[in-house]
Amino acid sequence: MDKSSALEYINQMFPTEASLSGVEPLMQKIQSEIRRVDASILAAVRQQSNSGTKAKEELAAATNAVQELMHKIHEIKTKAEQSETMVQEICRDIKKLDCAKRHITTTITALHRLTMLVSAVEQLQVMASKRQYKEAAAQLEAVNQLCSHFEAYRDVPKITELREKFKNIKKLLKSHVFSDFSSLGTGKEAEDPMLLQQLSDACFVVDALEPSVREELVKNFCSKELTSYRQIFEGAELAKLDKTERRYAWIKRRLRSNEDTWKIFPPSWHVDYLLCIQFCKITRSQLIDILNNLKEKPDVATLLLAFQRTLEFEEELAEKFSGGTVTTRNKESASDDEDEGGEHNKIVSDIRKKYEKKLAAPNDGVEQDKDKQKDLSVPGAGFNFHGIISSCFEPYMTVYIELEEKSLVDQLEKLVQEERWEIEEGSQTNILSSSMQVFLVIRKSLKRCSALTKNQTLFNLFQVFQRILKAYAAKLYARLPKGGTGIVAAATGTDGQIRTSDRDERMICYIVNTAEYCHQTSGELAENVAKMINPQFADKVDMSEVQDEFSAVITKALMTLVHGLETKFDAEMVAMTRVPWATLESVGDQSEYVNGISSILSSSIPVLGNLLSPTYFQYFLDKLAASLGPRFYLNIYKCKHISETGAQQMLLDTQAVKTILLDIPALGKQSTGAASYSKFVSREMSKAEALLKVILSPVDSVANTYRALLPEGTPLEFQRILDLKGLKKADQQAILEDFNKHAPAPAPAIKHPAVAPTVAPPVATASVQMAPSVVTPAVSITPSMAALTGALANREDVLARAAALGRGAATTGFKRFLALTEAAKDRKDGPFRKLFNA
């Protein structure tokens, strides 16, 4: 330890003078410990010295042992080399003898096989000459195996001679076999019962020969069997489309009559299958020639009959050669509805009866599509016969599509003519019956065509469906009420106005629901067609254009409904301008025109709410509010003069109209979107209220009130308000000059909210409820329009005097106005609040 630690240790041991008495005992203890440590060190040094000497002795002994081991290893290696040399000398002669033995064995084996080959070739030659096919087949296998052992000795003359002889024997066997098979089907098998057995044995020889021999034999056999078929059906009598069924009857009869005879062929040859493939190719080629050589369009019933029989024949072949398993077409047929279970088997007869009546004159020729007349590739596995013949009919099915379209058009016209445009009592849906009948007819047409083909013809028929549905949409569109046109309508001021009765309103609702049903069902129709049609056409199956047509019908129908109600309000708007607002003496109950508006809505809205879906009813309400609110606002300007009492009465009427509009959703028993609709109505009607409050304001503060309540107003509009207040031109001049000084910028026209542009309503679905859209439309009133408004007021002034209504209870009306004013003062925001705080 360091010096400071030593001092601390001493101070710790002897903290006081009294403790110094223990120094001596401590010193003795330390001396004793020193002596003990020295003794331990001395013992350790001695032990280490002894251990070092012993280690040197052990190291020397280990070194000697390693040297002795290396010497022994060297001796062992030397002896091993000597032993190896001795063994090689002993086995040198034995290796030569072993190699000689192996060569001798190979030679003996080759000579023995050569002897066997020579003998086998000679025996095979005898068998071939005697037509002993069964024995020759086995011998062929043996000779083929023996020849495989001499592949390495091709250059040996004897081997070359034997191989050439064997090749000639195979040629001889092939010629004999082909010669014997040429007699098959000539009647010799009946005279010689052993002929069939001989031919059966010959099949084994053919299997033993090259695969090309079997292919050539089967091809020659099929060509020979179908020679008579070519001759029969290429003749003028049977080379007709209506004789197609007899072609299939011929091959079926041939297969049945020769079933026992053709058992001589091994099953692995698939002779009947290859014969049917060749038959189908020939038939397809002949049918194409027949169709190409037609001078007129083919008869639809005959064409469909041939097509149907061809499909049935292909189905029979597919089932025959697929081991009896259920084919795809059978599965689809089994999945049809029970009520149409027999339709597949009666398609041709139904179509024949249907179209024979409609074919009155020959049709024009069909353009030939050469690209579609190529032979189909016949699959080698799976025995798939579908389309191998029937595909040749596809380019000529145009006449079928044309007559299907003609039939659909005729049925559409008939359904529309028979449509009552009413819904029967007790009906669960508010949909026109013609729409369901149209889709039923389309479904039947789709069933007929899909049973025949699912390729280009089905896609062409789908395009026909699109045109039919578009035509039906046009029929619905044309049924909507139209506005008045002509000289009479122009003279009476009703040009373009749509007048609708209660029956018309119901019919419009039925058209909306029907268009929605057609929109949804047409999409489902496209999905069904896309699932069943060939995949290469599935991406082209689309009904979006048709759905757009029905969406346009829905939009037009709803706007027609709005315009029809607008026309009903015409009389009430005229009555409003004819009220003598300048001479009213007191404020009473709501005016008669307000009662008229309420009566119109009360009679129409419940019916519309019951017939329309929530989405379309909300769209209708938005458009109605967007029309009636601005129209009421503009109608105030049509009045000639409004006194203070008249303005109070009109303000009361405005509140009543606003209440009526707010109650429409409840009147229609539909609350979806009522909150947004209420905000929209309140905003639109508040503009009319603000205008009337400006008219009610004193003359000295009318400019400030106008700027506060109608901040977007213009000097021209302000001047019109002064006219409504009854101020003279001289009195107006000073007020207008003061207004123009405070105006931010003059505007050439008065801008007021008006009816919004037509926007297509969302198509309602079963799971999605569209939120109603609130549109704030705008329109401009030019000075010429204002002048026109004044002219109309002057023209109707005489009628207004005659229709003036007496009012009483002036004090009561004034109290109501004060109550309205106090209610406006209680609001915490808005321009009217700013007026009272000024």
Side-chain angles (χ1 to χ4, degrees):
M1 61 179 63
D2 56 11
K3 184 177 180 180
S4 60
S5 300
L7 291 176
E8 290 177 0
Y9 177 74
I10 294 173
N11 292 331
Q12 184 179 1
M13 294 297 296
F14 306 103
T16 61
E17 294 181 359
S19 60
L20 294 176
S21 58
V23 172
E24 286 298 330
L26 180 61
M27 291 297 293
Q28 294 176 0
K29 181 178 179 182
I30 294 173
Q31 291 294 334
S32 176
E33 183 68 22
I34 291 173
R35 285 193 295 272
R36 186 184 66 77
V37 172
D38 289 341
S40 300
I41 293 172
L42 182 59
V45 170
R46 289 176 180 174
Q47 184 178 1
Q48 182 64 30
S49 177
N50 295 334
S51 299
T53 303
K54 186 177 180 181
K56 291 179 180 180
E57 293 175 353
E58 292 177 353
L59 180 61
T63 302
N64 293 332
V66 170
Q67 291 177 354
E68 184 178 356
L69 179 61
M70 291 296 292
H71 178 70
K72 291 181 179 180
I73 292 173
H74 182 69
E75 289 179 353
I76 293 171
K77 183 177 181 181
T78 303
K79 292 179 180 180
E81 291 176 353
Q82 293 174 356
S83 300
E84 183 180 1
T85 303
M86 185 180 299
V87 169
Q88 287 179 352
E89 292 176 355
I90 294 172
C91 295
R92 184 177 302 157
D93 297 334
I94 298 175
K95 186 181 294 185
K96 292 180 180 179
L97 293 173
D98 184 65
C99 184
K101 179 184 176 182
R102 185 168 62 252
H103 289 173
I104 291 172
T105 303
T106 303
T107 304
I108 292 173
T109 303
L111 290 174
H112 179 66
R113 288 176 177 170
L114 180 59
T115 304
M116 294 174 62
L117 178 60
V118 173
S119 176
V121 170
E122 292 177 353
Q123 292 176 12
L124 181 61
Q125 188 172 13
V126 174
M127 294 174 184
S129 61
K130 294 182 179 181
R131 282 182 165 84
Q132 297 175 351
Y133 294 130
K134 188 172 185 180
E135 294 80 2
Q139 197 71 6
L140 269 173
E141 293 290 344
V143 173
N144 283 328
Q145 291 180 6
L146 289 172
C147 286
S148 65
H149 294 295
F150 292 96
E151 289 293 330
Y153 306 103
R154 284 180 173 269
D155 298 334
V156 178
K158 183 63 176 178
I159 300 299
T160 304
E161 180 184 351
L162 287 174
R163 293 179 67 88
E164 188 66 25
K165 188 176 182 179
F166 179 52
K167 184 177 180 182
N168 293 331
I169 293 173
K170 289 197 291 186
K171 289 182 178 179
L172 179 62
L173 281 172
K174 177 182 176 182
S175 64
H176 287 342
V177 169
F178 276 56
S179 175
D180 292 345
F181 267 102
S182 64
S183 62
L184 184 62
T186 60
K188 291 185 179 181
E189 62 270 16
E191 300 175 1
D192 186 3
M194 298 302 296
L195 178 60
L196 293 179
Q197 182 60 41
Q198 185 178 358
L199 293 178
S200 179
D201 295 340
C203 292
F204 295 110
V205 174
V206 174
D207 278 334
L209 295 173
E210 290 79 5
S212 60
V213 177
R214 186 185 71 178
E215 294 175 2
E216 184 180 355
L217 177 63
V218 174
K219 183 178 180 181
N220 292 342
F221 171 76
C222 293
S223 298
K224 179 184 176 183
E225 286 292 325
L226 295 174
T227 301
S228 60
Y229 171 73
R230 290 177 182 271
Q231 297 173 351
I232 293 173
F233 288 95
E234 281 183 353
E237 182 180 353
L238 295 179
K240 298 179 180 178
L241 196 61
D242 56 354
K243 306 298 183 182
T244 304
E245 187 174 3
R246 297 184 62 177
R247 296 173 177 269
Y248 309 133
W250 183 92
I251 189 64
K252 292 177 188 177
R253 187 167 57 252
R254 196 72 175 171
L255 290 172
R256 285 195 304 269
S257 61
N258 294 322
E259 184 177 3
D260 294 335
T261 304
W262 292 350
K263 287 182 179 179
I264 62 175
F265 297 106
S268 60
W269 287 20
H270 300 297
V271 174
D272 51 352
Y273 164 70
L274 297 175
L275 178 65
C276 290
I277 289 291
Q278 190 68 20
F279 169 82
C280 291
K281 287 184 175 181
I282 296 173
T283 302
R284 184 173 187 272
S285 176
Q286 292 184 351
L287 287 177
I288 289 176
D289 292 339
I290 292 172
L291 291 169
N292 287 339
N293 294 330
L294 290 176
K295 297 180 181 179
E296 303 173 348
K297 286 187 177 182
D299 178 78
V300 176
T302 304
L303 178 66
L304 292 180
L305 179 60
F307 197 1
Q308 179 65 19
R309 292 295 178 258
T310 302
L311 291 172
E312 293 174 356
F313 175 68
E314 291 176 350
E315 187 68 28
E316 291 176 9
L317 291 182
E319 186 174 358
K320 175 181 176 63
F321 295 113
S322 62
T325 56
V326 180
T327 60
T328 303
R329 191 180 296 272
N330 289 337
K331 290 180 181 178
E332 293 175 356
S333 178
S335 63
D336 288 342
D337 297 334
E338 293 182 359
D339 57 343
E340 296 181 3
E343 183 176 353
H344 178 77
N345 296 327
K346 298 181 179 179
I347 291 173
V348 177
S349 59
D350 294 341
I351 294 176
R352 178 183 289 276
K353 295 177 182 178
K354 177 180 178 181
Y355 289 121
E356 279 182 347
K357 298 178 181 178
K358 297 185 178 183
L359 296 176
N363 297 321
D364 297 333
V366 181
E367 292 184 0
Q368 301 174 4
D369 189 354
K370 298 299 183 182
D371 294 336
K372 295 183 180 179
Q373 295 178 6
K374 298 178 180 179
D375 284 342
L376 298 177
S377 59
V378 179
F383 303 101
N384 185 10
F385 283 88
H386 292 301
I388 190 171
I389 303 176
S390 58
S391 59
C392 72
F393 289 96
E394 287 287 342
Y396 306 94
M397 293 295 287
T398 309
V399 289
Y400 164 68
I401 296 300
E402 291 174 354
L403 286 177
E404 277 287 354
E405 182 170 10
K406 184 176 183 301
S407 174
L408 290 173
V409 170
D410 292 343
Q411 293 187 62
L412 176 63
E413 293 293 338
K414 181 180 179 182
L415 289 173
V416 173
Q417 291 177 3
E418 294 176 353
E419 180 62 64
R420 297 170 52 198
W421 305 100
E422 285 284 352
I423 301 299
E424 297 180 0
E425 295 184 4
S427 176
Q428 299 295 326
T429 59
N430 296 319
I431 300 173
L432 297 174
S433 60
S434 59
S435 62
M436 293 180 283
Q437 292 297 324
V438 166
F439 280 101
L440 180 61
V441 171
I442 288 177
R443 182 170 179 268
K444 291 180 179 179
S445 177
L446 179 61
K447 286 283 186 182
R448 287 195 296 269
C449 185
S450 62
L452 296 173
T453 176
K454 296 180 180 178
N455 296 309
Q456 182 68 43
T457 302
L458 182 58
F459 180 70
N460 294 341
L461 184 64
F462 173 75
Q463 293 178 324
V464 171
F465 294 160
Q466 289 179 317
R467 294 192 289 271
I468 293 299
L469 291 175
K470 287 181 180 179
Y472 184 64
K475 298 289 185 183
L476 295 178
Y477 193 94
R479 189 65 185 182
L480 296 173
K482 303 295 188 299
T485 56
I487 300 176
V488 176
T492 57
T494 60
D495 189 13
Q497 292 184 349
I498 299 176
R499 298 188 178 277
T500 57
S501 61
D502 294 342
R503 185 179 183 278
D504 291 337
E505 291 178 353
R506 291 196 304 271
M507 181 191 66
I508 294 172
C509 292
Y510 298 148
I511 290 176
V512 170
N513 296 333
T514 302
E516 180 184 7
Y517 166 76
C518 294
H519 182 284
Q520 179 181 356
T521 310
S522 59
E524 296 173 355
L525 174 63
E527 293 177 1
N528 293 335
V529 173
K531 290 178 181 178
M532 68 173 60
I533 202 170
N534 193 303
Q536 64 178 338
F537 299 101
D539 294 338
K540 301 178 183 179
V541 176
D542 184 24
M543 276 285 187
S544 57
E545 293 183 2
V546 174
Q547 291 177 319
D548 292 343
E549 294 285 340
F550 286 110
S551 297
V553 172
I554 294 174
T555 303
K556 176 62 177 178
L558 292 175
M559 293 310 301
T560 302
L561 208 56
V562 173
H563 294 158
L565 276 179
E566 286 180 351
T567 304
K568 289 184 177 181
F569 293 143
D570 287 349
E572 310 307 326
M573 294 296 103
V574 173
M576 175 181 173
T577 59
R578 291 176 177 176
V579 173
W581 302 109
T583 59
L584 285 181
E585 297 178 356
S586 62
V587 178
D589 293 334
Q590 62 189 29
S591 303
E592 288 299 325
Y593 72 89
V594 177
N595 295 332
I597 293 174
S598 177
S599 176
I600 293 171
L601 294 176
S602 299
S603 63
S604 299
I605 294 302
V607 177
L608 301 182
N610 185 43
L611 295 179
L612 292 177
S613 65
T615 301
Y616 296 134
F617 183 70
Q618 184 61 40
Y619 177 84
F620 163 75
L621 292 186
D622 290 343
K623 292 301 178 183
L624 181 63
S627 169
L628 186 57
R631 187 179 183 186
F632 188 86
Y633 178 87
L634 294 176
N635 209 52
I636 296 176
Y637 285 99
K638 294 182 180 180
C639 298
K640 186 176 181 181
H641 174 53
I642 304 175
S643 65
E644 182 176 350
T645 304
Q648 295 173 11
Q649 179 64 45
M650 191 177 293
L651 187 61
L652 179 66
D653 294 341
T654 303
Q655 290 287 342
V657 172
K658 178 180 178 181
T659 303
I660 292 171
L661 292 177
L662 292 176
D663 291 340
I664 287 180
L667 195 62
K669 297 181 181 180
Q670 294 193 18
S671 59
T672 304
S676 60
Y677 169 77
S678 299
K679 294 180 181 179
F680 183 52
V681 171
S682 300
R683 185 174 68 250
E684 292 297 327
M685 295 304 296
S686 64
K687 297 167 187 175
E689 294 174 352
L691 174 61
L692 293 172
K693 290 175 182 178
V694 172
I695 296 174
L696 279 169
S697 61
V699 175
D700 53 353
S701 62
V702 65
N704 294 332
T705 305
Y706 178 74
R707 281 191 291 268
L709 297 182
L710 299 172
E712 297 181 356
T714 63
L716 186 61
E717 183 183 7
F718 181 65
Q719 183 178 1
R720 178 58 184 151
I721 291 176
L722 296 180
D723 292 338
L724 291 175
K725 289 180 68 67
L727 296 178
K728 298 180 179 179
K729 295 295 182 180
D731 297 335
Q732 294 181 13
Q733 190 65 30
I735 299 176
L736 288 173
E737 291 177 358
D738 181 67
F739 177 80
N740 291 329
K741 290 180 182 179
H742 296 86
I750 306 172
K751 294 186 178 293
H752 291 297
V755 181
T758 301
V759 179
V763 178
T765 60
S767 59
V768 180
Q769 294 292 338
M770 303 296 292
S773 58
V774 179
V775 182
T776 306
V779 74
S780 297
I781 297 181
T782 61
S784 59
M785 293 176 63
L788 178 62
T789 303
L792 292 174
N794 293 331
R795 188 183 67 179
E796 296 171 356
D797 184 43
V798 177
L799 296 177
R801 294 176 184 175
L805 300 175
R807 301 289 181 179
T811 55
T812 304
F814 186 67
K815 290 180 180 179
R816 290 184 180 179
F817 173 71
L818 291 178
L820 293 174
T821 305
E822 292 298 325
K825 290 174 61 178
D826 292 337
R827 292 182 58 183
K828 297 182 180 180
D829 55 355
F832 210 57
R833 176 67 179 176
K834 296 178 183 178
L835 178 64
F836 283 100
N837 291 337

